[in-house]
Amino acid sequence: MRVLVCAAVLLVPSLASAQNHQHTPGMVHPTNRASTTLPTLAGQDAYAAVAEVVRILETDSTTDWSRVNLEALRQHLIDMNEVTLHSAARQTTIDGGLSIEVTGVGRALESIQRMMTAHAPMLDGLPHFVATSAVTPNGARLTVRAEDPADQQVIAKIRGLGFIGLLTVGEHHAAHHLALARGGATPHSH
């Protein structure tokens, strides 16, 4: 414990100086990247996701800046954070798959209800899955079954993925985030 406290004390000055956005002597300007190696991530994960989308929009000559809506993307990223970090999920094994009660309070409750109702149709549209969702007073219920009730491999996959894994299936998030930023999608439709 004493070692951790000492390490934290030693890091505080460097963390404080790392948050100073002013140009300091010896620092290489971002446009002169040939002389230095810069981090690839722009900090906190949601900030980095937005920064990546901004870079894509800036390099695309067809970007219609009058339609760009980065606030919609930010709100969706907040929902993702709430569902991932501030919800409780109780998983129940059912015939052919899994039923998941996802609950939360405040912003997490609202985020759960938006995201579960949006993800169920997306999962249902994938091969091998049948998915439904229902809003509950404390959150939502997500039910996912194998399309073929005899397919033990898909059933095992559903149960192995569980709540958070099922939300990631389909590799749809990156395209959805870009569509949100371009102003071409509603915040919680997939």
Side-chain angles (χ1 to χ4, degrees):
M1 181 68 169
R2 186 173 284 155
V3 172
L4 289 175
V5 171
C6 291
V9 169
L10 291 174
L11 285 175
V12 169
S14 16
L15 290 174
S17 66
Q19 292 201 10
N20 181 351
H21 291 272
Q22 295 178 0
H23 192 81
T24 56
M27 187 169 120
V28 176
H29 191 274
T31 58
N32 187 10
R33 293 188 175 154
S35 62
T36 188
T37 302
L38 293 176
T40 57
L41 295 178
Q44 189 264 358
D45 56 348
Y47 184 91
V50 172
E52 182 179 24
V53 166
V54 168
R55 281 192 301 281
I56 291 167
L57 295 173
E58 286 180 326
T59 60
D60 182 353
S61 63
T62 66
T63 296
D64 180 352
W65 288 99
S66 68
R67 294 194 57 189
V68 169
N69 187 351
L70 293 173
E71 181 58 22
L73 174 57
R74 187 179 83 84
Q75 290 301 316
H76 179 66
L77 294 171
I78 292 169
D79 277 353
M80 290 178 69
N81 189 65
E82 290 293 324
V83 170
T84 302
L85 301 176
H86 302 127
S87 66
R90 186 174 49 86
Q91 301 179 161
T92 304
T93 300
I94 58 173
D95 286 342
L98 200 58
S99 177
I100 308 157
E101 294 288 330
V102 186
T103 59
V105 296
R107 174 74 192 240
L109 170 63
E110 297 165 9
S111 298
I112 290 163
Q113 292 174 337
R114 281 190 290 268
M115 288 191 60
M116 294 305 101
T117 56
H119 274 78
M122 189 281 310
L123 283 168
D124 193 58
L126 294 174
H128 313 295
F129 294 130
V130 175
T132 60
S133 66
V135 170
T136 65
N138 297 319
R141 178 181 314 104
L142 177 66
T143 304
V144 184
R145 289 186 168 93
E147 191 172 51
D148 175 359
D151 191 335
Q152 293 303 311
Q153 189 172 12
V154 172
I155 294 168
K157 180 177 182 177
I158 290 168
R159 293 174 181 164
L161 286 168
F163 164 61
I164 199 64
L166 286 165
L167 293 185
T168 69
V169 173
E171 296 295 322
H172 65 284
H173 284 99
H176 176 59
H177 293 172
L178 190 55
L180 275 171
R182 289 185 184 283
T186 57
H188 301 284
S189 66
H190 292 298

PDB file of all heavy atoms in Angstrom, residues 11 27 34 39-40 60 69 72 87-88 91 100 109-110 112 114 116 126-127 136 139-140 143-144 149 152 157 161 176:
ATOM      1  N   LEU A  11       3.499  10.488  -9.561  1.00  0.00           N
ATOM      2  CA  LEU A  11       2.815  10.684 -10.835  1.00  0.00           C
ATOM      3  C   LEU A  11       2.012  11.970 -10.890  1.00  0.00           C
ATOM      4  O   LEU A  11       1.787  12.504 -11.968  1.00  0.00           O
ATOM      5  CB  LEU A  11       1.872   9.503 -11.121  1.00  0.00           C
ATOM      6  CG  LEU A  11       2.544   8.220 -11.571  1.00  0.00           C
ATOM      7  CD1 LEU A  11       1.500   7.121 -11.701  1.00  0.00           C
ATOM      8  CD2 LEU A  11       3.253   8.418 -12.887  1.00  0.00           C
ATOM      9  N   MET A  27       8.424  20.721 -27.027  1.00  0.00           N
ATOM     10  CA  MET A  27       7.265  19.974 -27.516  1.00  0.00           C
ATOM     11  C   MET A  27       7.163  20.160 -29.027  1.00  0.00           C
ATOM     12  O   MET A  27       7.332  21.261 -29.538  1.00  0.00           O
ATOM     13  CB  MET A  27       5.992  20.509 -26.854  1.00  0.00           C
ATOM     14  CG  MET A  27       4.764  19.701 -27.152  1.00  0.00           C
ATOM     15  SD  MET A  27       3.421  20.236 -26.064  1.00  0.00           S
ATOM     16  CE  MET A  27       2.242  20.771 -27.272  1.00  0.00           C
ATOM     17  N   ALA A  34       6.841  14.125 -38.156  1.00  0.00           N
ATOM     18  CA  ALA A  34       7.971  13.322 -38.623  1.00  0.00           C
ATOM     19  C   ALA A  34       9.050  13.214 -37.564  1.00  0.00           C
ATOM     20  O   ALA A  34       9.797  12.237 -37.535  1.00  0.00           O
ATOM     21  CB  ALA A  34       8.543  13.935 -39.896  1.00  0.00           C
ATOM     22  N   PRO A  39       0.901   9.522 -29.393  1.00  0.00           N
ATOM     23  CA  PRO A  39      -0.059   8.468 -29.038  1.00  0.00           C
ATOM     24  C   PRO A  39      -1.096   8.316 -30.146  1.00  0.00           C
ATOM     25  O   PRO A  39      -1.411   9.278 -30.850  1.00  0.00           O
ATOM     26  CB  PRO A  39      -0.718   8.988 -27.758  1.00  0.00           C
ATOM     27  CG  PRO A  39       0.191  10.052 -27.245  1.00  0.00           C
ATOM     28  CD  PRO A  39       0.916  10.604 -28.428  1.00  0.00           C
ATOM     29  N   THR A  40      -1.643   7.131 -30.300  1.00  0.00           N
ATOM     30  CA  THR A  40      -2.648   6.907 -31.330  1.00  0.00           C
ATOM     31  C   THR A  40      -4.052   7.187 -30.826  1.00  0.00           C
ATOM     32  O   THR A  40      -4.956   7.414 -31.617  1.00  0.00           O
ATOM     33  CB  THR A  40      -2.585   5.468 -31.863  1.00  0.00           C
ATOM     34  OG1 THR A  40      -2.754   4.572 -30.767  1.00  0.00           O
ATOM     35  CG2 THR A  40      -1.256   5.201 -32.548  1.00  0.00           C
ATOM     36  N   ASP A  60     -13.096  13.465 -45.758  1.00  0.00           N
ATOM     37  CA  ASP A  60     -14.096  13.107 -46.754  1.00  0.00           C
ATOM     38  C   ASP A  60     -14.618  14.378 -47.416  1.00  0.00           C
ATOM     39  O   ASP A  60     -15.325  15.177 -46.778  1.00  0.00           O
ATOM     40  CB  ASP A  60     -15.236  12.337 -46.093  1.00  0.00           C
ATOM     41  CG  ASP A  60     -16.295  11.885 -47.070  1.00  0.00           C
ATOM     42  OD1 ASP A  60     -16.240  12.270 -48.265  1.00  0.00           O
ATOM     43  OD2 ASP A  60     -17.196  11.137 -46.642  1.00  0.00           O
ATOM     44  N   ASN A  69     -23.749  16.135 -36.860  1.00  0.00           N
ATOM     45  CA  ASN A  69     -24.362  16.227 -35.534  1.00  0.00           C
ATOM     46  C   ASN A  69     -23.526  15.413 -34.544  1.00  0.00           C
ATOM     47  O   ASN A  69     -23.885  14.289 -34.190  1.00  0.00           O
ATOM     48  CB  ASN A  69     -25.801  15.720 -35.588  1.00  0.00           C
ATOM     49  CG  ASN A  69     -26.545  15.957 -34.291  1.00  0.00           C
ATOM     50  OD1 ASN A  69     -25.969  16.358 -33.280  1.00  0.00           O
ATOM     51  ND2 ASN A  69     -27.836  15.702 -34.306  1.00  0.00           N
ATOM     52  N   ALA A  72     -25.291  14.274 -31.221  1.00  0.00           N
ATOM     53  CA  ALA A  72     -26.054  13.019 -31.238  1.00  0.00           C
ATOM     54  C   ALA A  72     -25.118  11.837 -30.965  1.00  0.00           C
ATOM     55  O   ALA A  72     -25.466  10.929 -30.204  1.00  0.00           O
ATOM     56  CB  ALA A  72     -26.761  12.841 -32.579  1.00  0.00           C
ATOM     57  N   SER A  87     -25.278  -0.353 -15.200  1.00  0.00           N
ATOM     58  CA  SER A  87     -26.496  -1.161 -15.176  1.00  0.00           C
ATOM     59  C   SER A  87     -26.190  -2.498 -14.514  1.00  0.00           C
ATOM     60  O   SER A  87     -25.034  -2.891 -14.379  1.00  0.00           O
ATOM     61  CB  SER A  87     -27.023  -1.384 -16.598  1.00  0.00           C
ATOM     62  OG  SER A  87     -26.107  -2.171 -17.333  1.00  0.00           O
ATOM     63  N   ALA A  88     -27.240  -3.167 -14.114  1.00  0.00           N
ATOM     64  CA  ALA A  88     -27.113  -4.521 -13.571  1.00  0.00           C
ATOM     65  C   ALA A  88     -27.805  -5.455 -14.552  1.00  0.00           C
ATOM     66  O   ALA A  88     -28.853  -5.113 -15.112  1.00  0.00           O
ATOM     67  CB  ALA A  88     -27.775  -4.610 -12.197  1.00  0.00           C
ATOM     68  N   GLN A  91     -28.890 -12.631 -15.804  1.00  0.00           N
ATOM     69  CA  GLN A  91     -29.060 -13.548 -16.922  1.00  0.00           C
ATOM     70  C   GLN A  91     -29.695 -14.843 -16.441  1.00  0.00           C
ATOM     71  O   GLN A  91     -29.298 -15.390 -15.422  1.00  0.00           O
ATOM     72  CB  GLN A  91     -27.705 -13.835 -17.574  1.00  0.00           C
ATOM     73  CG  GLN A  91     -27.039 -12.584 -18.071  1.00  0.00           C
ATOM     74  CD  GLN A  91     -25.678 -12.794 -18.697  1.00  0.00           C
ATOM     75  OE1 GLN A  91     -25.252 -11.937 -19.414  1.00  0.00           O
ATOM     76  NE2 GLN A  91     -25.001 -13.893 -18.447  1.00  0.00           N
ATOM     77  N   ILE A 100     -32.337 -11.879 -20.339  1.00  0.00           N
ATOM     78  CA  ILE A 100     -31.514 -10.968 -19.537  1.00  0.00           C
ATOM     79  C   ILE A 100     -32.365  -9.799 -19.060  1.00  0.00           C
ATOM     80  O   ILE A 100     -32.936  -9.065 -19.865  1.00  0.00           O
ATOM     81  CB  ILE A 100     -30.319 -10.437 -20.357  1.00  0.00           C
ATOM     82  CG1 ILE A 100     -29.550 -11.597 -20.999  1.00  0.00           C
ATOM     83  CG2 ILE A 100     -29.399  -9.597 -19.483  1.00  0.00           C
ATOM     84  CD1 ILE A 100     -28.760 -11.192 -22.217  1.00  0.00           C
ATOM     85  N   LEU A 109     -31.198   3.998 -16.516  1.00  0.00           N
ATOM     86  CA  LEU A 109     -32.498   3.406 -16.824  1.00  0.00           C
ATOM     87  C   LEU A 109     -32.958   3.819 -18.223  1.00  0.00           C
ATOM     88  O   LEU A 109     -33.355   2.981 -19.041  1.00  0.00           O
ATOM     89  CB  LEU A 109     -33.539   3.820 -15.783  1.00  0.00           C
ATOM     90  CG  LEU A 109     -34.990   3.476 -16.084  1.00  0.00           C
ATOM     91  CD1 LEU A 109     -35.201   1.974 -16.163  1.00  0.00           C
ATOM     92  CD2 LEU A 109     -35.900   4.093 -15.041  1.00  0.00           C
ATOM     93  N   GLU A 110     -32.889   5.110 -18.501  1.00  0.00           N
ATOM     94  CA  GLU A 110     -33.295   5.608 -19.819  1.00  0.00           C
ATOM     95  C   GLU A 110     -32.417   5.038 -20.919  1.00  0.00           C
ATOM     96  O   GLU A 110     -32.906   4.649 -21.989  1.00  0.00           O
ATOM     97  CB  GLU A 110     -33.224   7.138 -19.831  1.00  0.00           C
ATOM     98  CG  GLU A 110     -34.175   7.794 -18.854  1.00  0.00           C
ATOM     99  CD  GLU A 110     -33.850   9.260 -18.609  1.00  0.00           C
ATOM    100  OE1 GLU A 110     -32.981   9.815 -19.324  1.00  0.00           O
ATOM    101  OE2 GLU A 110     -34.463   9.849 -17.709  1.00  0.00           O
ATOM    102  N   ILE A 112     -30.717   2.183 -20.883  1.00  0.00           N
ATOM    103  CA  ILE A 112     -31.033   0.753 -21.018  1.00  0.00           C
ATOM    104  C   ILE A 112     -32.255   0.588 -21.912  1.00  0.00           C
ATOM    105  O   ILE A 112     -32.254  -0.220 -22.849  1.00  0.00           O
ATOM    106  CB  ILE A 112     -31.289   0.129 -19.632  1.00  0.00           C
ATOM    107  CG1 ILE A 112     -29.997   0.040 -18.830  1.00  0.00           C
ATOM    108  CG2 ILE A 112     -31.954  -1.249 -19.768  1.00  0.00           C
ATOM    109  CD1 ILE A 112     -30.212  -0.177 -17.337  1.00  0.00           C
ATOM    110  N   ARG A 114     -33.551   2.594 -24.148  1.00  0.00           N
ATOM    111  CA  ARG A 114     -33.274   2.974 -25.537  1.00  0.00           C
ATOM    112  C   ARG A 114     -32.434   1.914 -26.241  1.00  0.00           C
ATOM    113  O   ARG A 114     -32.736   1.490 -27.355  1.00  0.00           O
ATOM    114  CB  ARG A 114     -32.550   4.322 -25.590  1.00  0.00           C
ATOM    115  CG  ARG A 114     -33.445   5.519 -25.413  1.00  0.00           C
ATOM    116  CD  ARG A 114     -32.695   6.810 -25.710  1.00  0.00           C
ATOM    117  NE  ARG A 114     -31.699   7.125 -24.700  1.00  0.00           N
ATOM    118  CZ  ARG A 114     -31.923   7.889 -23.639  1.00  0.00           C
ATOM    119  NH1 ARG A 114     -33.112   8.402 -23.438  1.00  0.00           N
ATOM    120  NH2 ARG A 114     -30.962   8.151 -22.789  1.00  0.00           N
ATOM    121  N   MET A 116     -31.666  -1.339 -25.424  1.00  0.00           N
ATOM    122  CA  MET A 116     -32.170  -2.712 -25.538  1.00  0.00           C
ATOM    123  C   MET A 116     -33.209  -2.820 -26.643  1.00  0.00           C
ATOM    124  O   MET A 116     -33.210  -3.775 -27.409  1.00  0.00           O
ATOM    125  CB  MET A 116     -32.767  -3.201 -24.219  1.00  0.00           C
ATOM    126  CG  MET A 116     -31.784  -3.363 -23.066  1.00  0.00           C
ATOM    127  SD  MET A 116     -30.389  -4.439 -23.438  1.00  0.00           S
ATOM    128  CE  MET A 116     -29.127  -3.237 -23.773  1.00  0.00           C
ATOM    129  N   LEU A 126     -29.644 -10.865 -37.527  1.00  0.00           N
ATOM    130  CA  LEU A 126     -28.414 -11.623 -37.795  1.00  0.00           C
ATOM    131  C   LEU A 126     -28.734 -13.101 -37.993  1.00  0.00           C
ATOM    132  O   LEU A 126     -29.711 -13.608 -37.437  1.00  0.00           O
ATOM    133  CB  LEU A 126     -27.436 -11.469 -36.624  1.00  0.00           C
ATOM    134  CG  LEU A 126     -26.868 -10.071 -36.402  1.00  0.00           C
ATOM    135  CD1 LEU A 126     -26.034 -10.046 -35.128  1.00  0.00           C
ATOM    136  CD2 LEU A 126     -26.039  -9.624 -37.599  1.00  0.00           C
ATOM    137  N   PRO A 127     -27.902 -13.797 -38.760  1.00  0.00           N
ATOM    138  CA  PRO A 127     -28.111 -15.236 -38.918  1.00  0.00           C
ATOM    139  C   PRO A 127     -27.983 -15.948 -37.565  1.00  0.00           C
ATOM    140  O   PRO A 127     -27.161 -15.565 -36.729  1.00  0.00           O
ATOM    141  CB  PRO A 127     -26.983 -15.674 -39.849  1.00  0.00           C
ATOM    142  CG  PRO A 127     -26.415 -14.427 -40.421  1.00  0.00           C
ATOM    143  CD  PRO A 127     -26.763 -13.304 -39.502  1.00  0.00           C
ATOM    144  N   THR A 136     -39.227  -2.652 -19.266  1.00  0.00           N
ATOM    145  CA  THR A 136     -39.771  -2.964 -17.942  1.00  0.00           C
ATOM    146  C   THR A 136     -39.701  -1.696 -17.094  1.00  0.00           C
ATOM    147  O   THR A 136     -38.990  -0.745 -17.460  1.00  0.00           O
ATOM    148  CB  THR A 136     -38.961  -4.103 -17.268  1.00  0.00           C
ATOM    149  OG1 THR A 136     -37.628  -3.640 -17.029  1.00  0.00           O
ATOM    150  CG2 THR A 136     -38.934  -5.361 -18.136  1.00  0.00           C
ATOM    151  N   GLY A 139     -36.033  -1.076 -16.363  1.00  0.00           N
ATOM    152  CA  GLY A 139     -35.048  -1.236 -17.428  1.00  0.00           C
ATOM    153  C   GLY A 139     -35.642  -1.912 -18.639  1.00  0.00           C
ATOM    154  O   GLY A 139     -36.575  -1.406 -19.252  1.00  0.00           O
ATOM    155  N   ALA A 140     -35.104  -3.087 -18.966  1.00  0.00           N
ATOM    156  CA  ALA A 140     -35.592  -3.819 -20.138  1.00  0.00           C
ATOM    157  C   ALA A 140     -35.203  -5.285 -20.018  1.00  0.00           C
ATOM    158  O   ALA A 140     -34.276  -5.651 -19.293  1.00  0.00           O
ATOM    159  CB  ALA A 140     -35.008  -3.232 -21.416  1.00  0.00           C
ATOM    160  N   THR A 143     -34.274 -11.004 -24.757  1.00  0.00           N
ATOM    161  CA  THR A 143     -34.332 -12.452 -24.884  1.00  0.00           C
ATOM    162  C   THR A 143     -33.715 -12.831 -26.218  1.00  0.00           C
ATOM    163  O   THR A 143     -34.114 -12.291 -27.265  1.00  0.00           O
ATOM    164  CB  THR A 143     -35.790 -12.961 -24.821  1.00  0.00           C
ATOM    165  OG1 THR A 143     -36.375 -12.489 -23.598  1.00  0.00           O
ATOM    166  CG2 THR A 143     -35.848 -14.474 -24.862  1.00  0.00           C
ATOM    167  N   VAL A 144     -32.732 -13.728 -26.172  1.00  0.00           N
ATOM    168  CA  VAL A 144     -32.052 -14.167 -27.388  1.00  0.00           C
ATOM    169  C   VAL A 144     -32.024 -15.686 -27.393  1.00  0.00           C
ATOM    170  O   VAL A 144     -31.585 -16.306 -26.418  1.00  0.00           O
ATOM    171  CB  VAL A 144     -30.618 -13.605 -27.486  1.00  0.00           C
ATOM    172  CG1 VAL A 144     -29.967 -14.011 -28.807  1.00  0.00           C
ATOM    173  CG2 VAL A 144     -30.617 -12.083 -27.323  1.00  0.00           C
ATOM    174  N   PRO A 149     -33.438 -24.427 -32.627  1.00  0.00           N
ATOM    175  CA  PRO A 149     -33.409 -24.826 -31.218  1.00  0.00           C
ATOM    176  C   PRO A 149     -32.524 -26.046 -30.928  1.00  0.00           C
ATOM    177  O   PRO A 149     -32.184 -26.308 -29.784  1.00  0.00           O
ATOM    178  CB  PRO A 149     -34.863 -25.143 -30.884  1.00  0.00           C
ATOM    179  CG  PRO A 149     -35.669 -24.814 -32.075  1.00  0.00           C
ATOM    180  CD  PRO A 149     -34.766 -24.471 -33.206  1.00  0.00           C
ATOM    181  N   GLN A 152     -26.749 -26.572 -30.673  1.00  0.00           N
ATOM    182  CA  GLN A 152     -26.100 -26.406 -29.368  1.00  0.00           C
ATOM    183  C   GLN A 152     -24.918 -25.434 -29.421  1.00  0.00           C
ATOM    184  O   GLN A 152     -24.613 -24.764 -28.431  1.00  0.00           O
ATOM    185  CB  GLN A 152     -25.656 -27.762 -28.814  1.00  0.00           C
ATOM    186  CG  GLN A 152     -26.816 -28.685 -28.463  1.00  0.00           C
ATOM    187  CD  GLN A 152     -27.763 -28.045 -27.465  1.00  0.00           C
ATOM    188  OE1 GLN A 152     -27.356 -27.522 -26.436  1.00  0.00           O
ATOM    189  NE2 GLN A 152     -29.063 -28.077 -27.777  1.00  0.00           N
ATOM    190  N   LYS A 157     -22.943 -20.221 -27.661  1.00  0.00           N
ATOM    191  CA  LYS A 157     -22.386 -18.899 -27.996  1.00  0.00           C
ATOM    192  C   LYS A 157     -23.220 -17.793 -27.357  1.00  0.00           C
ATOM    193  O   LYS A 157     -22.685 -16.851 -26.767  1.00  0.00           O
ATOM    194  CB  LYS A 157     -22.338 -18.717 -29.516  1.00  0.00           C
ATOM    195  CG  LYS A 157     -21.773 -17.383 -29.943  1.00  0.00           C
ATOM    196  CD  LYS A 157     -21.688 -17.283 -31.455  1.00  0.00           C
ATOM    197  CE  LYS A 157     -21.080 -15.949 -31.869  1.00  0.00           C
ATOM    198  NZ  LYS A 157     -20.937 -15.870 -33.333  1.00  0.00           N
ATOM    199  N   LEU A 161     -21.624 -15.343 -24.688  1.00  0.00           N
ATOM    200  CA  LEU A 161     -21.544 -13.897 -24.926  1.00  0.00           C
ATOM    201  C   LEU A 161     -22.212 -13.126 -23.799  1.00  0.00           C
ATOM    202  O   LEU A 161     -21.713 -12.088 -23.360  1.00  0.00           O
ATOM    203  CB  LEU A 161     -22.214 -13.532 -26.253  1.00  0.00           C
ATOM    204  CG  LEU A 161     -21.464 -13.897 -27.525  1.00  0.00           C
ATOM    205  CD1 LEU A 161     -22.366 -13.740 -28.738  1.00  0.00           C
ATOM    206  CD2 LEU A 161     -20.204 -13.052 -27.662  1.00  0.00           C
ATOM    207  N   HIS A 176     -22.672   2.842 -37.368  1.00  0.00           N
ATOM    208  CA  HIS A 176     -23.745   3.596 -36.722  1.00  0.00           C
ATOM    209  C   HIS A 176     -23.219   4.930 -36.195  1.00  0.00           C
ATOM    210  O   HIS A 176     -23.861   5.973 -36.366  1.00  0.00           O
ATOM    211  CB  HIS A 176     -24.348   2.767 -35.594  1.00  0.00           C
ATOM    212  CG  HIS A 176     -25.393   3.482 -34.801  1.00  0.00           C
ATOM    213  ND1 HIS A 176     -26.551   3.988 -35.355  1.00  0.00           N
ATOM    214  CD2 HIS A 176     -25.451   3.792 -33.489  1.00  0.00           C
ATOM    215  CE1 HIS A 176     -27.268   4.565 -34.424  1.00  0.00           C
ATOM    216  NE2 HIS A 176     -26.625   4.467 -33.275  1.00  0.00           N
TER     217      HIS A 176
END
